[in-house]
Every structure is written in C-alpha cells, then in structure tokens.
Amino acid sequence: MVKSLNIDRNNGIAVIEINRDEFTDIVDSVYYMTDKVKRDLLENLPSNEKDRTRLDNFSALKEDLRRILGSLN
C-alpha cells in the first residue's frame, strides 16, 4: 500500500513511498512483462520497431529497478 505520494505536475514527476516487499512485487512484475514482450517478439517475427522499442524500455526499467532494490538490501 502506498504510504505517501507527491506529485509535481509541472515536471511530470511522481514520488511514491512503498515498503520493500511491495517494491519487490513491482520489480517482479516488470520482469514478467519483459519476458512476455520477448516471447511475443519471438513468436511474431519479423517484429516492428515499436515492439523492439517497448522491449528496450522494459529491459532498461527492469535493470534500473533491480539496482534500486539491490541498494535497499
């Protein structure tokens, strides 16, 4: 459950405070989304640029979140 939420509409930034277990669930979800997009790309070759970009974005997000989670441990 979100403990606090601060929104800066001008800059398009939201700061969310959650506990470690919930953050771990979010990281796991991003892993699953990344794997699903990879499978979809492989099953539907040739892929288009939009799908490859989506996979790249999920992969980058996954790595960033994993690093943050690692720094919490």
Side-chain angles (χ1 to χ4, degrees):
M1 179 172 274
V2 175
K3 293 181 181 180
S4 70
L5 172 65
N6 295 314
I7 298 173
D8 180 351
R9 287 186 190 349
N10 293 331
N11 294 317
I13 296 173
V15 177
I16 302 169
E17 184 179 335
I18 57 176
N19 70 36
R20 183 180 298 146
D21 292 335
E22 291 167 328
F23 186 68
T24 300
D25 290 343
I26 292 170
V27 172
D28 290 342
S29 295
V30 172
Y31 262 83
Y32 296 133
M33 286 187 296
T34 304
D35 289 342
K36 182 182 181 319
V37 172
K38 278 183 192 176
R39 279 194 311 276
D40 289 347
L41 282 175
L42 291 173
E43 291 171 359
N44 299 309
L45 290 174
S47 60
N48 62 37
E49 187 63 31
K50 179 182 172 188
D51 292 335
R52 288 190 298 272
T53 301
R54 186 174 183 210
L55 177 59
D56 290 343
N57 291 340
F58 277 147
S59 295
L61 177 61
K62 177 181 77 171
E63 291 307 314
D64 289 344
L65 292 176
R66 198 43 86 177
R67 268 188 245 121
I68 293 168
L69 185 61
S71 70
L72 293 175
N73 294 328

